[in-house]
Amino acid sequence: PFSSLADSDRVAVGDTAFVMGNPFLLALDFKPCVSRGIVSGVHRYQFPSGTFLEYTDCIQTDAAVNPGNSGGPVFNDHGGIIGIIGRCSFEKRGRVNVGIGYAVSSNQIRYFLGDLKSGRIVDHATMNAVVSTDKEGRVLFDDVLGTSDAYRSGLRYNDQLLRFAGRTVDTANTFKNLVGIFPKGWRLPATVRGKDGDRYELFVRLGGLHSEAELIEMTQKMIEPPIVPPEFKKIMEEQEKRLKKLRGEDSGDDAEDIEESDLLKGFKEIEVPGPDGKPVKMLQKEHFLSEATKPFYDRQRGYANFHFNKIERDRVLGNWRKGFNVDKNAAWTISGQLKNRPETYSFSIDDQGIRYELPVEKGFWDASLMKREQIFVADPLMHYQAPRGSGGLFTTLFLIRMLAVHDPLDIAEVVYVGTAPLDGRLDKLFDVVAVSWLGNDVRFYFDPETASLALVEMVGSSLDFPCELRLREVDGKKEFEIRYGRILYGIFEASTFTPELPCVTQTARSAVFGSEAELKAVTTRTATPVISKALERVVKIYGAGSVGSPGLHGYQTGILVSPEGDILTTLTPTLQADPLTVVLDSGRKFEARLVGADPVMELALLKIPGSDLPHFTMNSQAESFDDSVRIGDGVFAVSNPFNIAVGNEPVTVQRGVIAARTTLHARRGVFETPYKGPIFITDATTNNPGACGGALIREDTGELIGILGKELRNADNHSWLNFAIPTFVFRTKTLEMIEQGRNAEGKPLLISPEAIRPERELIPEDTIRVLQDWGLLLVSTVGRRTPPFIDTVKPGSDADRLGLRPDDLIVMVNNRLTPSLAVVEYQIHEAESGEPVILTVERDMELLDFTFQKND
C-alpha cells in the first residue's frame, strides 16, 4: 500500500489537514498518532535553520506538530499527501506544539523524487541572479552572473521579472520561494520586461547552489552510519592512538600489536597533513555494511548509493530498447527532406561515425577524432559541434545509436539523473539519462509512459548553448528538430528511419507561455469566501521592538474597523514607535499614528489614510454573553504570529472552537494584565508572539466576535492562555475612539522608555522624592518596562486621603499613557513645579483620576 501525491498548488487556506507521525515516540505500536487541523498558509518561506533547512514554498498548518512528527505526511481529506512535515515555530514554548507547523509541499517532493531515486546527492537550484523589489513594487535583477545560462539567455541588470515557472512574480520573496522548489539543471520559462519596455519569453537552465565538492563535503557527516559494530571498536581505538601520535599528541600508551589485515579491515587509506605540513597516509573508517546489505550498496563519489542509480538507468534504457530492433553491427539510416522545403538529406550512422549528405555539404564525420589521444583537428570544439550552426548534430546522432546498441559500460559514464520537464511544462516529468563522453555532457529525455526518446541535449561547452534534438511524430511521419540556443537549425522529415525508433508527439515550445487569460486560469485555488474576506480585513503592524528584551517583538496584528482606515489592535509596547508601519493584505504600506487607547481593556486605535477599505463591522447589539456565540461553536483566528507573513503574503488562519466563556481573573504576579473582563477561551493555539490584535471570527458567517488577546502566561503553572476579548466588550469604546481620533491633536499617547533619556538618568532622584512626599511607593524596578503598580500607600499621606490603594495600576499621567514604571517617573519629572499632576489608575476594570500637586 502506498500514498499518492496531491497537487499542492491546488491547496487553499482553510482546507482540512491531517498530520500523522510519531510525536514524542508515542507510536510504539507502529500506528501513527493523528492530529487534525487546517491549512493555515500556503507558499510560505522559512529562513534557513542550520546549513540546509531553508523551506521554500512550504505549507503551514495548525494541526498539532511536535518533535517526532518530522518526516511524517500531511494528508488532505481525500487521503492525498499535500506535504511532508519538516519543522515548527517553537520559539519560547519549550519545543511543544504552538499551532504552527510547516511541511515541504507535495509538488516540491514530486520535482525531487526522480533525483532522489537516482541515488545521487542532489542540489537545489539557483538562477545565478539576484533580484530585489523596488519602491514601485517591481521585481528587478540586481545582478546576473556572466557565465550563467540566464545571462546567455538574455537576462541583464535592471530587467524586470514578470513570471517564472508559470507563476506571477510580484515580490523578490515570491521568486525565492519558486526557485527553491526545483532541482539543479532544470530549464524553466521566464517572462521578463527589458529596459526597452518590451516583453521577452526565455528558457533558463538553473544552476546549483553548491559545487559538487561542496555538496559532498556538507553531506558527508549526514550519511555516516550511527552504529559501529563491536568488533571494530578495538581497531578504532588503535587508530585514535596512531592519530594522536601523528598530531604530536602522544597518549603515553604503547599501541598494541595488531595484524595488518585486521588493521585494514573496515578502513580505507587517505592522506592527512602531518606535523610538518606534508601529507601522511592514514586509515579512515569505512561505512559498515552487513553481509545482507552489501549487494544493495555501491559507493561512488557524489552518490548516496550508486546501486539504485544502476537500477533506474537499466530500467529506462531497457524499456526504450524494447521498442526497436537492437543490432550492434547494423548501421542506422535516416533520410528525407527538410520540412516545407525541397532539399534532401541522408545520414548513415555506425560505430566509426556518420556519412552524411546535407543541402550545403556532404562527407564523413569521424567519431574517432573525438578521442583525446587522437585529436589532431585545429579546433576540437568545432568538431564536437559539427555541422556548423547546429551545436553538435553529428555528435548527438552518433551517441543516440551508441546508447541504443551498446552496453553503458562500453560507452562511457552513463547514469540516471532523475526527472525533468520538457519546455517548462511541470505537469509531466521525463526520465533523464546522462552520458559523459570525452568531455561532452549529453542528456536523453524519455517519456515515462511510452518509453520513447523525446529530447537529446548535447553540451559541447559549459559556456555555450546545447544542441537540442527533438524526436516526434506528426501525421504518421517521423521528424526531428534541431535547435542551437534560440536558433532553429532545421526540421528534418524522415521518410526513412531504420530502425523504427518510437517517437512521441511534442508540444510547441511557445505554448508554455500562453496568454494572460490562460495563465490566470492555472493559479492556486483561493480560500473560502469567509476566510478570503477576513484576510483582507486583517493588517500587520510594525513598531518598537528590542532583541534584548523578552516579549518585545516589534510586530503585532490589527483589524480594520472602518472604511477610512481605523485599525483596532491591542495596547502593547510595540505601539511606542513613531511612526508605526501598517501593511495591508495587498502589500501596501502606510504610516500609522496612535489616536486612541483604553488602558483597562488594553486596546488601541490606529489611523491610516484611506477610503473604501475592506473592514469588519460590529453588528451584534449584545451587552454580555448570549446564545449568538456558544461553547463548541467553530471559529477562525486570523493573525500574524511569529511575523510569518511578510509583504503581501496572507496572514495565518487557525481553526478551533469556543472552549469556554468566562471572566479573566488575572492580576500582578499571575498574568500581569489589568483586564479582568469577559473573554472567550479557544482551543486554537493563538497565544503566540505577534498574534495579539488579530480577529476571531465565526467559522460559518465570518462575523467578527472578538479580538485576540496579549500573550499571557500563568506564573504559577506556566500555562499560556489562548483567549479573545468579545466584541460586545469593546464595540462602544471603539466607536468612541474612532470619533475622538478624527479630532485628535496628534500628540503622542505613548512614550518609549528607550527614547526618553539614557539609563543612568531614567529615574531622577527628585521624582522618587515627589512620589515619597505623596505617600506612594511603586513596585521594585525589575526591568525598564516594569508595570507601574502601586506597592505601598503611606497611612495619613495625600495618597491615602485621596483613596489610592496598593495594587492600583497607574495607566496615565496627565492623560498620557504610561505602560511602564519608567514612563510614570519621566512624566512626573517633566511636570513643572506647582503644576497639578493627574494620576489615572485602573482598579477593578474602572479608571479613577487622582490629582496631586508637584512642589519644589
Side-chain angles (χ1 to χ4, degrees):
F2 65 94
S3 298
S4 59
L5 294 175
D7 183 356
S8 56
D9 282 343
R10 301 293 295 166
V11 172
V13 176
D15 285 355
T16 300
F18 293 95
V19 170
M20 300 190 188
N22 186 22
F24 303 117
L25 199 64
L26 295 174
L28 295 178
D29 60 353
F30 304 107
K31 295 180 181 179
C33 298
V34 182
S35 61
R36 179 184 180 183
I38 64 169
V39 173
S40 298
V42 295
H43 306 310
R44 293 299 197 202
Y45 174 77
Q46 283 291 293
F47 288 93
S49 173
T51 305
F52 288 103
L53 294 180
E54 178 182 22
Y55 279 55
T56 60
D57 213 46
C58 61
I59 292 173
Q60 179 189 345
T61 179
D62 69 349
V65 172
N66 287 292
N69 276 117
S70 296
V74 183
F75 289 100
N76 60 21
D77 50 8
H78 298 290
I81 293 178
I82 60 174
I84 297 293
I85 288 294
R87 62 190 289 191
C88 312
S89 289
F90 292 125
E91 199 164 294
K92 60 185 179 183
R93 297 300 194 255
R95 289 190 61 76
V96 294
N97 170 55
V98 294
I100 297 170
Y102 302 100
V104 179
S105 66
S106 57
N107 281 356
Q108 181 173 179
I109 296 166
R110 178 183 291 108
Y111 300 154
F112 274 87
L113 198 55
D115 293 51
L116 293 172
K117 286 182 178 180
S118 74
R120 297 185 301 122
I121 300 174
V122 300
D123 199 6
H124 283 254
T126 174
M127 193 184 276
N128 291 311
V130 179
V131 300
S132 65
T133 307
D134 70 358
K135 294 181 179 179
E136 299 177 11
R138 300 176 303 171
V139 180
L140 302 179
F141 286 96
D142 290 337
D143 193 14
V144 183
L145 187 65
T147 57
S148 66
D149 192 71
Y151 189 89
R152 286 193 296 274
S153 299
L155 290 180
R156 293 297 184 269
Y157 166 77
N158 225 30
D159 283 351
Q160 180 184 357
L161 180 60
L162 303 175
R163 298 185 66 85
F164 178 71
R167 195 185 298 177
T168 300
V169 177
D170 47 15
T171 66
N173 204 40
T174 305
F175 175 68
K176 187 185 296 185
N177 257 344
L178 274 172
V179 173
I181 66 175
F182 298 115
K184 168 187 175 181
W186 281 27
R187 297 188 69 199
L188 295 171
T191 304
V192 301
R193 179 177 287 121
K195 291 184 282 291
D196 56 5
D198 291 338
R199 287 168 59 112
Y200 299 94
E201 313 291 0
L202 308 172
F203 271 91
V204 179
R205 188 181 303 279
L206 303 178
L209 285 174
H210 312 88
S211 68
E212 182 181 352
E214 289 174 333
L215 201 63
I216 293 173
E217 181 180 355
M218 293 165 68
T219 55
Q220 193 64 45
K221 292 183 179 180
M222 301 177 68
I223 59 176
E224 285 289 332
I227 301 174
V228 179
E231 59 266 25
F232 282 3
K233 185 176 180 181
K234 185 176 181 181
I235 303 176
M236 291 175 62
E237 291 174 350
E238 184 72 17
Q239 289 303 311
E240 282 295 320
K241 293 177 183 179
R242 294 194 176 194
L243 186 60
K244 286 182 179 180
K245 288 185 177 181
L246 184 66
R247 294 173 177 168
E249 304 170 0
D250 196 330
S251 63
D253 297 328
D254 293 332
E256 297 182 21
D257 293 332
I258 193 167
E259 294 293 332
E260 184 71 15
S261 59
D262 292 333
L263 186 64
L264 294 175
K265 182 181 178 182
F267 289 84
K268 64 178 180 180
E269 193 175 73
I270 62 171
E271 287 188 347
V272 297
D276 56 357
K278 295 181 179 180
V280 177
K281 290 183 178 181
M282 187 64 186
L283 296 178
Q284 185 183 70
K285 178 172 64 67
E286 289 273 16
H287 286 282
F288 169 73
L289 293 173
S290 67
E291 292 300 320
T293 59
K294 281 182 179 179
F296 306 101
Y297 183 73
D298 187 348
R299 185 172 187 173
Q300 283 202 30
R301 180 177 174 82
Y303 293 84
N305 190 349
F306 191 67
H307 171 80
F308 292 101
N309 190 285
K310 292 185 291 186
I311 290 177
E312 293 297 308
R313 178 196 67 192
D314 295 344
R315 172 186 64 83
V316 173
L317 295 182
N319 290 338
W320 175 49
R321 290 170 177 173
K322 290 177 183 177
F324 57 90
N325 180 34
V326 177
D327 186 347
K328 294 183 178 181
N329 300 316
W332 285 17
T333 58
I334 309 173
S335 62
Q337 66 182 50
L338 300 183
K339 189 166 186 176
N340 299 324
R341 296 177 61 177
E343 294 94 334
T344 61
Y345 74 92
S346 67
F347 299 108
S348 178
I349 312 169
D350 56 27
D351 286 351
Q352 281 68 49
I354 301 177
R355 291 169 179 79
Y356 62 90
E357 290 189 12
L358 293 172
V360 293
E361 61 176 322
K362 64 179 180 178
F364 175 68
W365 181 82
D366 190 351
S368 66
L369 296 182
M370 300 287 285
K371 297 180 180 179
R372 297 182 185 278
E373 65 273 12
Q374 296 184 23
I375 289 181
F376 54 87
V377 294
D379 188 349
L381 183 60
M382 185 178 295
H383 190 70
Y384 296 158
Q385 296 182 327
R388 184 185 298 273
S390 71
L393 171 59
F394 294 155
T395 304
T396 303
L397 290 174
F398 177 77
L399 286 177
I400 291 176
R401 181 184 176 277
M402 291 287 288
L403 191 65
V405 302
H406 291 285
D407 187 278
L409 297 178
D410 296 335
I411 306 171
E413 183 183 3
V414 180
V415 298
Y416 177 74
V417 174
T419 55
L422 279 188
D423 299 327
R425 293 192 172 275
L426 300 175
D427 55 342
K428 184 175 182 178
L429 301 181
F430 289 69
D431 287 308
V432 182
V433 172
V435 176
S436 296
W437 188 65
L438 302 179
N440 296 277
D441 183 19
V442 188
R443 295 196 168 196
F444 298 79
Y445 291 70
F446 296 91
D447 189 310
E449 299 169 0
T450 65
S452 304
L453 180 61
L455 169 68
V456 184
E457 294 177 333
M458 200 289 292
V459 180
S461 169
S462 61
L463 301 179
D464 201 354
F465 289 110
C467 168
E468 300 176 35
L469 186 151
R470 283 176 166 78
L471 285 168
R472 55 177 176 249
E473 190 169 315
V474 180
D475 298 330
K477 294 183 179 180
K478 289 183 173 60
E479 64 180 36
F480 58 96
E481 173 186 300
I482 303 297
R483 285 183 178 271
Y484 178 37
R486 285 174 285 180
I487 301 173
L488 175 63
Y489 178 77
I491 300 178
F492 297 76
E493 293 182 334
S495 56
T496 302
F497 204 130
T498 306
E500 288 287 331
L501 288 182
C503 295
V504 296
T505 302
Q506 294 292 297
T507 305
R509 168 182 291 192
S510 59
V512 72
F513 295 99
S515 65
E516 284 299 318
E518 291 171 333
L519 291 171
K520 289 179 180 178
V522 194
T523 55
T524 304
R525 261 184 59 240
T526 57
T528 62
V530 166
I531 293 177
S532 296
K533 290 180 180 179
L535 292 173
E536 294 175 350
R537 292 158 170 74
V538 174
V539 303
K540 306 148 197 168
I541 300 171
Y542 298 93
S546 175
V547 176
S549 301
L552 302 182
H553 311 290
Y555 57 87
Q556 62 186 66
T557 312
I559 304 170
L560 281 163
V561 290
S562 82
E564 290 80 26
D566 292 291
I567 298 169
L568 187 66
T569 187
T570 52
L571 183 59
T572 70
T574 297
L575 305 184
Q576 293 173 351
D578 186 23
L580 294 162
T581 299
V582 167
V583 182
L584 302 189
D585 176 64
S586 62
R588 296 171 61 196
K589 292 184 179 180
F590 292 89
E591 287 190 357
R593 58 190 180 95
L594 180 65
V595 297
D598 187 312
V600 174
M601 289 184 283
E602 291 191 290
L603 297 179
L605 188 75
L606 309 183
K607 185 72 172 67
I608 62 172
S611 62
D612 298 324
L613 293 174
H615 63 283
F616 285 106
T617 56
M618 294 170 282
N619 298 322
S620 174
Q621 298 301 314
E623 299 297 331
S624 60
F625 290 128
D626 60 15
D627 287 341
S628 61
V629 181
R630 295 170 295 183
I631 294 175
D633 284 352
V635 293
F636 288 125
V638 188
S639 65
N640 189 27
F642 300 103
N643 195 29
I644 293 169
V646 296
N648 63 345
E649 291 183 60
V651 295
T652 292
V653 180
Q654 297 168 285
R655 183 173 65 183
V657 299
I658 299 296
R661 306 187 310 181
T662 185
T663 300
L664 180 61
H665 292 288
R667 61 180 177 82
R668 176 165 54 98
V670 177
F671 282 120
E672 293 188 354
T673 177
Y675 182 68
K676 301 177 181 65
I679 60 171
F680 292 125
I681 294 178
T682 74
D683 70 340
T685 311
T686 60
N687 191 236
N688 288 308
C692 62
L696 188 72
I697 65 172
R698 291 185 62 95
E699 182 180 359
D700 50 359
T701 65
E703 176 190 358
L704 179 70
I705 60 174
I707 184 170
L708 299 183
K710 299 165 65 173
E711 290 182 80
L712 291 183
R713 186 176 70 168
N714 189 301
D716 295 332
N717 58 24
H718 304 292
S719 61
W720 296 85
L721 189 65
N722 301 304
F723 77 100
I725 301 175
T727 306
F728 66 77
V729 174
F730 59 80
R731 181 184 62 247
T732 302
K733 182 61 179 179
T734 300
L735 296 176
E736 290 176 1
M737 288 192 295
I738 290 175
E739 187 62 32
Q740 294 169 0
R742 290 169 181 161
N743 303 315
E745 301 176 359
K747 188 177 182 180
L749 296 176
L750 275 172
I751 299 177
S752 170
E754 284 79 4
I756 55 180
R757 58 183 62 246
E759 177 93 19
R760 62 180 181 275
E761 301 178 19
L762 190 59
I763 308 177
E765 292 182 1
D766 60 334
T767 302
I768 299 175
R769 179 183 57 77
V770 169
L771 288 168
Q772 290 175 344
D773 288 345
W774 292 344
L776 292 175
L777 178 65
L778 303 186
V779 295
S780 300
T781 302
V782 295
R784 302 190 68 185
R785 296 181 181 270
T786 303
F789 283 97
I790 295 175
D791 188 73
T792 305
V793 177
K794 184 178 179 181
S797 64
D798 291 345
D800 185 36
R801 286 190 295 271
L802 289 172
L804 283 165
R805 303 176 187 173
D807 276 357
D808 283 347
L809 175 64
I810 302 174
V811 294
M812 286 189 287
V813 174
N814 290 337
N815 296 317
R816 299 182 73 183
L817 293 168
T818 52
S820 70
L821 185 148
V823 177
V824 168
E825 292 167 337
Y826 172 70
Q827 293 278 43
I828 295 173
H829 174 73
E830 288 295 294
E832 296 292 335
S833 178
E835 283 188 357
V837 178
I838 303 173
L839 299 187
T840 303
V841 302
E842 182 274 328
R843 179 189 301 163
D844 297 328
M845 291 291 292
E846 289 187 60
L847 294 181
L848 304 174
D849 290 338
F850 300 90
T851 303
F852 294 85
Q853 194 76 22
K854 182 178 179 182
N855 300 317
D856 292 331

